[in-house]
Structure formats: C-alpha cells, structure tokens
Coordinates of all heavy atoms in Angstrom, one line a residue:
P28 N -68.2 33.7 -32.5 CA -68.2 33.0 -33.7 C -67.0 33.6 -34.6 O -66.6 34.7 -34.5 CB -69.5 33.3 -34.4 CG -70.3 34.1 -33.4 CD -69.5 34.4 -32.2
A29 N -66.6 32.7 -35.5 CA -65.6 33.1 -36.5 C -65.9 32.5 -37.8 O -66.6 31.5 -37.9 CB -64.2 32.7 -36.0
F30 N -65.3 33.0 -38.9 CA -65.5 32.5 -40.3 C -64.2 32.1 -40.8 O -63.2 32.7 -40.5 CB -66.1 33.6 -41.2 CG -67.4 34.1 -40.7 CD1 -67.5 35.3 -40.0 CD2 -68.6 33.4 -40.9 CE1 -68.7 35.8 -39.5 CE2 -69.8 33.9 -40.5 CZ -69.8 35.1 -39.8
V31 N -64.1 31.0 -41.5 CA -62.9 30.5 -42.1 C -63.0 30.7 -43.6 O -63.9 30.2 -44.2 CB -62.6 29.0 -41.8 CG1 -61.4 28.5 -42.5 CG2 -62.5 28.8 -40.3
L32 N -62.0 31.4 -44.2 CA -62.0 31.7 -45.6 C -60.8 31.1 -46.2 O -59.7 31.1 -45.6 CB -61.9 33.2 -45.8 CG -63.0 34.1 -45.2 CD1 -62.7 35.5 -45.4 CD2 -64.4 33.7 -45.7
R33 N -60.9 30.5 -47.4 CA -59.8 29.9 -48.1 C -59.7 30.7 -49.4 O -60.6 30.7 -50.2 CB -60.0 28.5 -48.4 CG -59.8 27.6 -47.3 CD -59.8 26.1 -47.7 NE -61.0 25.9 -48.5 CZ -61.8 24.9 -48.4 NH1 -61.6 24.0 -47.4 NH2 -62.9 24.7 -49.1
L34 N -58.6 31.4 -49.6 CA -58.4 32.3 -50.8 C -57.2 31.9 -51.6 O -56.2 31.5 -51.0 CB -58.3 33.7 -50.4 CG -59.5 34.3 -49.6 CD1 -59.2 35.7 -49.1 CD2 -60.8 34.2 -50.4
S35 N -57.2 32.1 -52.9 CA -56.1 31.7 -53.7 C -55.2 32.9 -53.9 O -54.1 32.8 -54.5 CB -56.6 31.2 -55.1 OG -57.3 32.2 -55.7
E36 N -55.6 34.1 -53.6 CA -54.8 35.3 -53.7 C -55.3 36.3 -52.6 O -56.4 36.2 -52.1 CB -55.0 36.0 -55.1 CG -56.4 36.3 -55.5 CD -56.5 36.8 -56.9 OE1 -55.6 37.7 -57.3 OE2 -57.3 36.4 -57.6
P37 N -54.4 37.3 -52.3 CA -54.8 38.3 -51.3 C -56.0 39.1 -51.7 O -56.2 39.3 -52.9 CB -53.6 39.2 -51.2 CG -52.5 38.5 -51.8 CD -53.1 37.5 -52.8
A38 N -56.9 39.4 -50.8 CA -58.1 40.1 -51.2 C -58.7 40.9 -50.0 O -58.2 40.8 -48.9 CB -59.1 39.1 -51.7
T39 N -59.8 41.6 -50.2 CA -60.5 42.2 -49.1 C -61.9 41.5 -49.0 O -62.6 41.3 -50.0 CB -60.8 43.7 -49.5 OG1 -59.5 44.4 -49.7 CG2 -61.6 44.4 -48.4
A40 N -62.2 41.1 -47.8 CA -63.4 40.4 -47.5 C -64.4 41.3 -46.8 O -64.0 42.1 -46.0 CB -63.2 39.2 -46.6
R41 N -65.6 41.3 -47.3 CA -66.7 42.1 -46.7 C -67.7 41.1 -46.2 O -68.3 40.2 -46.9 CB -67.4 42.9 -47.8 CG -68.5 43.8 -47.2 CD -69.1 44.6 -48.4 NE -70.2 45.4 -47.9 CZ -71.5 45.0 -47.9 NH1 -71.8 43.8 -48.3 NH2 -72.4 45.8 -47.4
I42 N -68.0 41.1 -44.9 CA -68.9 40.2 -44.2 C -70.1 41.0 -43.7 O -69.9 41.8 -42.7 CB -68.2 39.4 -43.1 CG1 -67.0 38.6 -43.6 CG2 -69.2 38.5 -42.4 CD1 -66.2 38.0 -42.6
A43 N -71.2 40.9 -44.2 CA -72.4 41.6 -43.8 C -73.2 40.7 -42.9 O -73.6 39.6 -43.4 CB -73.2 42.1 -45.0
I44 N -73.5 41.1 -41.7 CA -74.3 40.3 -40.8 C -75.7 40.9 -40.6 O -75.8 42.1 -40.4 CB -73.6 40.1 -39.4 CG1 -72.2 39.5 -39.6 CG2 -74.4 39.3 -38.4 CD1 -71.3 39.5 -38.4
Q45 N -76.7 40.0 -40.7 CA -78.0 40.4 -40.6 C -78.6 39.6 -39.4 O -78.3 38.4 -39.2 CB -78.9 40.2 -41.8 CG -78.4 41.0 -43.0 CD -79.1 40.6 -44.3 OE1 -79.2 39.4 -44.6 NE2 -79.6 41.5 -45.0
R46 N -79.5 40.3 -38.7 CA -80.2 39.6 -37.5 C -81.6 39.4 -37.9 O -82.3 40.3 -38.4 CB -80.1 40.4 -36.3 CG -80.6 39.8 -35.1 CD -80.4 40.6 -33.8 NE -81.0 39.9 -32.7 CZ -81.2 40.4 -31.6 NH1 -80.9 41.7 -31.4 NH2 -81.7 39.7 -30.6
K47 N -82.1 38.2 -37.6 CA -83.5 37.9 -37.8 C -84.4 38.4 -36.7 O -84.2 38.2 -35.5 CB -83.7 36.4 -37.9 CG -85.1 36.0 -38.5 CD -85.2 34.5 -38.6 CE -84.5 34.0 -39.8 NZ -84.8 32.6 -40.1
R48 N -85.4 39.3 -37.1 CA -86.3 39.9 -36.1 C -87.7 39.9 -36.7 O -87.9 40.1 -37.9 CB -85.9 41.3 -35.9 CG -84.5 41.4 -35.3 CD -84.3 42.8 -34.7 NE -84.3 42.6 -33.3 CZ -84.1 43.6 -32.4 NH1 -83.8 44.8 -32.9 NH2 -84.1 43.4 -31.1
G49 N -88.6 39.7 -35.8 CA -90.0 39.7 -36.2 C -90.4 38.6 -37.2 O -90.8 38.9 -38.3
G50 N -90.1 37.4 -36.9 CA -90.5 36.3 -37.8 C -89.3 36.0 -38.8 O -88.2 35.7 -38.4
K51 N -89.6 36.2 -40.1 CA -88.6 35.9 -41.1 C -87.8 37.2 -41.5 O -87.0 37.1 -42.4 CB -89.2 35.2 -42.3 CG -89.8 33.9 -41.9 CD -90.4 33.3 -43.2 CE -90.9 31.9 -42.8 NZ -91.4 31.2 -44.0
R52 N -88.1 38.3 -41.0 CA -87.5 39.5 -41.5 C -86.1 39.7 -41.0 O -85.8 39.5 -39.8 CB -88.3 40.7 -40.9 CG -87.9 42.0 -41.5 CD -88.8 43.1 -41.0 NE -88.9 44.0 -42.1 CZ -90.0 44.7 -42.4 NH1 -91.0 44.6 -41.7 NH2 -90.0 45.6 -43.4
L53 N -85.2 40.0 -41.9 CA -83.8 40.2 -41.6 C -83.4 41.7 -41.6 O -83.8 42.4 -42.5 CB -82.9 39.4 -42.6 CG -82.9 37.9 -42.5 CD1 -82.3 37.3 -43.8 CD2 -82.1 37.5 -41.3
R54 N -82.8 42.1 -40.6 CA -82.4 43.5 -40.4 C -80.8 43.6 -40.5 O -80.2 42.8 -39.8 CB -82.9 44.1 -39.1 CG -84.3 44.0 -38.9 CD -85.0 45.2 -39.5 NE -86.5 45.0 -39.2 CZ -87.3 46.0 -39.4 NH1 -86.8 47.2 -39.7 NH2 -88.5 45.8 -39.2
P55 N -80.3 44.6 -41.1 CA -78.8 44.8 -41.1 C -78.3 44.9 -39.6 O -79.0 45.6 -38.8 CB -78.6 46.1 -41.8 CG -79.8 46.3 -42.7 CD -80.9 45.6 -41.9
F56 N -77.2 44.3 -39.3 CA -76.7 44.3 -38.0 C -75.3 44.9 -37.9 O -75.0 45.8 -37.2 CB -76.7 42.9 -37.4 CG -76.2 42.8 -36.0 CD1 -76.9 43.3 -34.9 CD2 -75.0 42.2 -35.8 CE1 -76.4 43.2 -33.6 CE2 -74.4 42.1 -34.5 CZ -75.1 42.6 -33.4
R57 N -74.4 44.4 -38.7 CA -73.0 44.9 -38.7 C -72.3 44.5 -40.0 O -72.7 43.4 -40.6 CB -72.3 44.2 -37.6 CG -70.9 44.7 -37.4 CD -70.2 44.1 -36.2 NE -70.8 44.7 -35.1 CZ -70.9 44.2 -33.8 NH1 -70.4 43.0 -33.6 NH2 -71.4 44.8 -32.9
V58 N -71.4 45.3 -40.5 CA -70.6 45.0 -41.7 C -69.1 45.0 -41.3 O -68.7 46.0 -40.7 CB -70.8 46.0 -42.8 CG1 -69.9 45.7 -44.0 CG2 -72.3 45.9 -43.3
L59 N -68.4 43.9 -41.6 CA -67.0 43.8 -41.3 C -66.2 43.8 -42.6 O -66.6 43.2 -43.6 CB -66.7 42.5 -40.6 CG -67.4 42.2 -39.3 CD1 -67.2 40.8 -38.8 CD2 -67.0 43.2 -38.2
R60 N -65.2 44.6 -42.7 CA -64.3 44.6 -43.8 C -62.9 44.3 -43.3 O -62.4 44.9 -42.4 CB -64.3 46.0 -44.5 CG -65.5 46.2 -45.3 CD -65.4 47.5 -46.1 NE -66.6 47.7 -46.9 CZ -67.7 48.3 -46.5 NH1 -67.7 48.8 -45.2 NH2 -68.8 48.5 -47.2
T61 N -62.2 43.4 -44.0 CA -60.9 43.0 -43.6 C -60.1 42.5 -44.8 O -60.6 42.0 -45.7 CB -60.9 41.9 -42.5 OG1 -59.6 41.7 -42.0 CG2 -61.5 40.6 -43.0
K62 N -58.8 42.8 -44.7 CA -57.9 42.3 -45.8 C -57.4 41.0 -45.3 O -57.0 40.8 -44.2 CB -56.7 43.3 -45.9 CG -57.1 44.6 -46.5 CD -56.0 45.5 -46.9 CE -56.5 46.8 -47.5 NZ -55.5 47.6 -48.1
V63 N -57.4 40.0 -46.3 CA -57.0 38.7 -45.9 C -55.9 38.2 -46.9 O -55.9 38.5 -48.1 CB -58.2 37.7 -45.9 CG1 -59.1 38.0 -44.8 CG2 -59.0 37.8 -47.2
P64 N -55.0 37.4 -46.4 CA -53.9 36.9 -47.3 C -54.4 35.7 -48.1 O -55.5 35.2 -48.0 CB -52.8 36.4 -46.3 CG -53.6 36.1 -45.0 CD -54.8 37.0 -45.0
A65 N -53.5 35.2 -49.0 CA -53.8 34.1 -49.9 C -53.5 32.8 -49.2 O -52.5 32.2 -49.4 CB -53.0 34.2 -51.2
T66 N -54.5 32.4 -48.3 CA -54.3 31.2 -47.6 C -55.6 30.9 -46.9 O -56.6 31.5 -47.1 CB -53.2 31.3 -46.5 OG1 -53.0 30.1 -45.8 CG2 -53.5 32.4 -45.5
R67 N -55.6 29.9 -46.0 CA -56.8 29.7 -45.1 C -56.7 30.6 -43.9 O -55.7 30.5 -43.2 CB -56.8 28.2 -44.7 CG -58.0 27.8 -43.9 CD -58.0 26.3 -43.7 NE -59.2 25.9 -43.0 CZ -59.2 25.4 -41.8 NH1 -58.0 25.1 -41.2 NH2 -60.3 25.1 -41.2
V68 N -57.7 31.4 -43.7 CA -57.6 32.4 -42.6 C -58.9 32.4 -41.8 O -60.0 32.1 -42.4 CB -57.2 33.8 -43.1 CG1 -58.3 34.3 -44.0 CG2 -56.9 34.7 -42.0
R69 N -58.8 32.6 -40.5 CA -59.9 32.7 -39.7 C -60.2 34.2 -39.4 O -59.3 34.9 -38.9 CB -59.6 31.9 -38.4 CG -60.8 31.9 -37.4 CD -60.4 31.0 -36.2 NE -61.5 30.9 -35.4 CZ -61.5 31.1 -34.1 NH1 -60.4 31.4 -33.5 NH2 -62.6 31.0 -33.4
V70 N -61.4 34.6 -39.6 CA -61.9 36.0 -39.4 C -62.9 35.9 -38.2 O -64.0 35.3 -38.4 CB -62.5 36.6 -40.6 CG1 -63.0 38.0 -40.3 CG2 -61.6 36.6 -41.8
A71 N -62.5 36.5 -37.1 CA -63.3 36.4 -35.9 C -64.2 37.7 -35.9 O -63.8 38.8 -36.3 CB -62.5 36.4 -34.7
L72 N -65.4 37.5 -35.3 CA -66.3 38.6 -35.1 C -65.7 39.5 -33.9 O -65.0 38.9 -33.1 CB -67.7 38.2 -34.7 CG -68.5 37.5 -35.8 CD1 -69.8 37.0 -35.3 CD2 -68.7 38.5 -36.9
P73 N -66.1 40.7 -33.8 CA -65.6 41.5 -32.7 C -65.9 40.9 -31.3 O -66.9 40.1 -31.2 CB -66.3 42.9 -32.8 CG -66.6 42.9 -34.3 CD -66.9 41.5 -34.7
R74 N -65.2 41.2 -30.3 CA -65.3 40.5 -29.0 C -66.7 40.7 -28.4 O -67.1 40.0 -27.5 CB -64.2 41.0 -28.1 CG -62.9 40.5 -28.5 CD -61.8 41.0 -27.6 NE -60.5 40.7 -28.1 CZ -59.8 39.8 -27.6 NH1 -60.1 39.1 -26.6 NH2 -58.6 39.6 -28.2
R75 N -67.4 41.8 -28.8 CA -68.7 42.1 -28.2 C -69.6 40.9 -28.4 O -69.8 40.4 -29.6 CB -69.3 43.3 -28.8 CG -70.5 43.8 -28.1 CD -71.0 45.1 -28.7 NE -72.4 44.9 -28.9 CZ -73.0 45.4 -29.9 NH1 -72.4 46.1 -30.8 NH2 -74.3 45.2 -30.1
K76 N -70.3 40.4 -27.4 CA -71.2 39.3 -27.5 C -72.4 39.6 -28.4 O -72.9 40.7 -28.4 CB -71.7 38.8 -26.2 CG -70.8 37.9 -25.4 CD -71.6 37.5 -24.2 CE -70.9 36.3 -23.6 NZ -71.6 35.7 -22.4
L77 N -72.9 38.6 -29.1 CA -74.1 38.8 -29.9 C -75.3 38.4 -29.0 O -75.2 37.5 -28.2 CB -74.1 37.9 -31.1 CG -73.0 38.1 -32.2 CD1 -73.0 37.0 -33.2 CD2 -73.1 39.5 -32.8
A78 N -76.3 39.1 -29.2 CA -77.6 38.8 -28.5 C -78.1 37.5 -29.0 O -77.9 37.1 -30.1 CB -78.6 39.9 -28.7
P79 N -78.8 36.7 -28.1 CA -79.4 35.5 -28.6 C -80.3 35.7 -29.7 O -81.0 36.7 -29.8 CB -80.1 35.0 -27.3 CG -79.5 35.7 -26.2 CD -79.0 37.0 -26.7
G80 N -80.3 34.8 -30.7 CA -81.1 34.9 -31.8 C -80.5 34.3 -33.1 O -79.5 33.7 -33.0
S81 N -81.2 34.5 -34.2 CA -80.8 33.9 -35.5 C -80.1 35.0 -36.3 O -80.6 36.1 -36.4 CB -82.0 33.4 -36.3 OG -82.5 32.3 -35.5
Y82 N -79.0 34.7 -37.0 CA -78.3 35.6 -37.8 C -78.0 35.0 -39.1 O -78.0 33.8 -39.3 CB -77.0 35.9 -37.1 CG -77.1 36.7 -35.8 CD1 -77.3 36.0 -34.6 CD2 -77.0 38.1 -35.8 CE1 -77.4 36.7 -33.4 CE2 -77.2 38.8 -34.6 CZ -77.4 38.1 -33.4 OH -77.5 38.8 -32.2
R83 N -77.7 35.8 -40.1 CA -77.2 35.4 -41.4 C -76.0 36.3 -41.8 O -76.1 37.5 -41.7 CB -78.3 35.5 -42.5 CG -77.8 35.0 -43.9 CD -78.9 34.9 -44.9 NE -79.2 36.3 -45.3 CZ -80.2 36.5 -46.2 NH1 -80.9 35.5 -46.7 NH2 -80.5 37.7 -46.5
A84 N -74.9 35.6 -42.3 CA -73.8 36.3 -42.7 C -73.6 36.1 -44.2 O -73.8 35.0 -44.7 CB -72.5 35.8 -42.0
T85 N -73.3 37.2 -44.9 CA -73.1 37.2 -46.4 C -71.6 37.6 -46.6 O -71.3 38.7 -46.2 CB -74.0 38.1 -47.1 OG1 -75.4 37.7 -46.8 CG2 -73.8 38.0 -48.6
V86 N -70.8 36.8 -47.2 CA -69.4 37.1 -47.5 C -69.2 37.3 -49.0 O -69.6 36.5 -49.8 CB -68.5 35.9 -47.0 CG1 -67.1 36.2 -47.2 CG2 -68.8 35.6 -45.5
V87 N -68.5 38.4 -49.3 CA -68.2 38.8 -50.6 C -66.7 39.2 -50.6 O -66.3 40.0 -49.7 CB -69.0 39.9 -51.2 CG1 -68.5 40.3 -52.6 CG2 -70.5 39.6 -51.2
V88 N -65.9 38.6 -51.5 CA -64.4 38.9 -51.5 C -64.1 39.6 -52.8 O -64.6 39.2 -53.9 CB -63.7 37.6 -51.4 CG1 -62.2 37.8 -51.5 CG2 -64.0 36.9 -50.1
T89 N -63.3 40.7 -52.7 CA -62.8 41.4 -53.9 C -61.3 41.4 -53.9 O -60.6 41.8 -52.9 CB -63.3 42.9 -53.7 OG1 -64.7 42.9 -53.5 CG2 -62.9 43.7 -55.0
D90 N -60.7 41.0 -55.1 CA -59.2 41.0 -55.2 C -58.7 42.4 -55.6 O -59.5 43.3 -55.9 CB -58.8 39.9 -56.1 CG -59.1 40.2 -57.6 OD1 -59.6 41.2 -57.9 OD2 -58.8 39.3 -58.4
P91 N -57.4 42.6 -55.6 CA -56.9 43.9 -55.9 C -57.2 44.4 -57.4 O -57.2 45.6 -57.6 CB -55.3 43.7 -55.8 CG -55.2 42.6 -54.8 CD -56.4 41.7 -55.1
A92 N -57.5 43.5 -58.3 CA -57.8 43.8 -59.6 C -59.3 44.3 -59.8 O -59.8 44.7 -60.8 CB -57.6 42.7 -60.6
G93 N -60.1 44.1 -58.7 CA -61.5 44.5 -58.7 C -62.4 43.4 -59.0 O -63.6 43.7 -59.1
N94 N -62.0 42.2 -59.1 CA -62.8 41.1 -59.4 C -63.6 40.7 -58.1 O -63.0 40.6 -57.0 CB -62.0 39.8 -59.8 CG -61.3 40.1 -61.1 OD1 -61.8 40.7 -62.0 ND2 -60.0 39.7 -61.2
V95 N -64.9 40.5 -58.2 CA -65.7 40.2 -57.0 C -66.2 38.8 -57.1 O -66.7 38.3 -58.1 CB -66.9 41.2 -57.0 CG1 -67.8 41.0 -55.8 CG2 -66.4 42.7 -57.0
S96 N -66.2 38.1 -55.9 CA -66.6 36.8 -55.9 C -68.2 36.7 -55.8 O -68.8 37.7 -55.5 CB -66.1 36.1 -54.6 OG -66.7 36.6 -53.5
A97 N -68.7 35.6 -56.0 CA -70.1 35.3 -55.7 C -70.4 35.4 -54.2 O -69.5 35.1 -53.4 CB -70.6 34.0 -56.3
A98 N -71.5 35.9 -53.9 CA -71.9 36.0 -52.4 C -72.1 34.6 -51.9 O -72.8 33.8 -52.5 CB -73.1 36.9 -52.3
R99 N -71.6 34.4 -50.7 CA -71.8 33.1 -50.0 C -72.6 33.5 -48.7 O -72.2 34.4 -48.0 CB -70.5 32.4 -49.6 CG -69.7 32.0 -50.7 CD -70.4 30.7 -51.3 NE -69.6 30.2 -52.4 CZ -69.3 29.0 -52.5 NH1 -69.7 28.1 -51.7 NH2 -68.5 28.5 -53.5
R100 N -73.6 32.7 -48.4 CA -74.4 33.0 -47.2 C -74.4 31.8 -46.3 O -74.4 30.7 -46.7 CB -75.9 33.3 -47.6 CG -76.0 34.6 -48.4 CD -77.4 35.0 -48.6 NE -77.5 36.3 -49.3 CZ -78.3 36.6 -50.2 NH1 -79.2 35.7 -50.6 NH2 -78.3 37.8 -50.7
I101 N -74.4 32.2 -45.0 CA -74.5 31.1 -44.0 C -75.3 31.6 -42.8 O -75.2 32.8 -42.4 CB -73.1 30.7 -43.5 CG1 -73.2 29.5 -42.6 CG2 -72.3 31.8 -42.9 CD1 -71.9 28.8 -42.3
G102 N -76.2 30.8 -42.3 CA -77.0 31.1 -41.1 C -76.4 30.6 -39.9 O -75.7 29.5 -39.9
F103 N -76.5 31.3 -38.8 CA -76.0 30.8 -37.5 C -76.9 31.3 -36.4 O -77.6 32.3 -36.5 CB -74.5 31.1 -37.3 CG -74.2 32.5 -37.3 CD1 -74.0 33.2 -36.1 CD2 -74.0 33.3 -38.5 CE1 -73.7 34.6 -36.1 CE2 -73.7 34.6 -38.5 CZ -73.5 35.2 -37.2
V104 N -76.8 30.6 -35.2 CA -77.6 31.0 -34.1 C -76.7 31.4 -32.9 O -75.7 30.7 -32.7 CB -78.5 29.8 -33.6 CG1 -79.3 30.2 -32.4 CG2 -79.4 29.4 -34.8

C-alpha cells in the first residue's frame, strides 16, 4: 500500500499505522516519518508485507515553521 499526499509547501509527514486486533481494539503497529516536497507525492509503506487484517493510518503534516495539520485517518485492509 501507498499514501498520496498533496502539499502546498515542503513539510514532514508522520504516518502512524494501527492494526485492529481483538474486535475493535486498535494497537500501534508502525510510525513512518518522511520529508515531502510541495507537490503531489506518493509515500509507500516499507517493502515488508503486512499481515492480513484491518489497519488504520493517521497522517499529520508539520511544516518548517512548526504549523501542524489536522489529523487525517483512513482505514484499509
């Protein structure tokens, strides 16, 4: 899987991935931090395969001035 981000200025993206385990409970799985340019960019997950199951990713972007975006969440299987 990969995420597509559209940014108006260069920034640092933090993508926190949680895995659904035991019904509705979400457990931390992995956190990715990457610097992204001011454009539409594709951020791929590491090449290691994800185990079958339900996941949720939360994306927060911080610009060089320290301004933080609202968190965006997306679920995927």
Side-chain angles (χ1 to χ4, degrees):
F30 302 97
V31 177
L32 306 174
R33 286 187 311 229
L34 303 175
S35 60
E36 59 184 311
T39 301
R41 179 181 179 272
I42 303 171
I44 300 174
Q45 297 174 311
R46 183 173 180 199
K47 193 178 279 190
R48 298 195 107 176
K51 295 183 179 183
R52 186 174 216 150
L53 289 164
R54 303 270 180 166
F56 179 69
R57 180 175 292 155
V58 175
L59 306 170
R60 285 187 180 88
T61 184
K62 292 187 178 189
V63 290
T66 184
R67 182 174 184 242
V68 64
R69 183 175 184 230
V70 178
L72 290 176
R74 293 179 186 252
R75 189 177 130 217
K76 276 187 163 182
L77 296 175
S81 297
Y82 295 86
R83 179 172 75 183
T85 304
V86 180
V87 176
V88 179
T89 307
D90 71 4
N94 300 316
V95 181
S96 72
R99 295 288 184 131
R100 292 185 176 145
I101 186 168
F103 60 97
V104 178

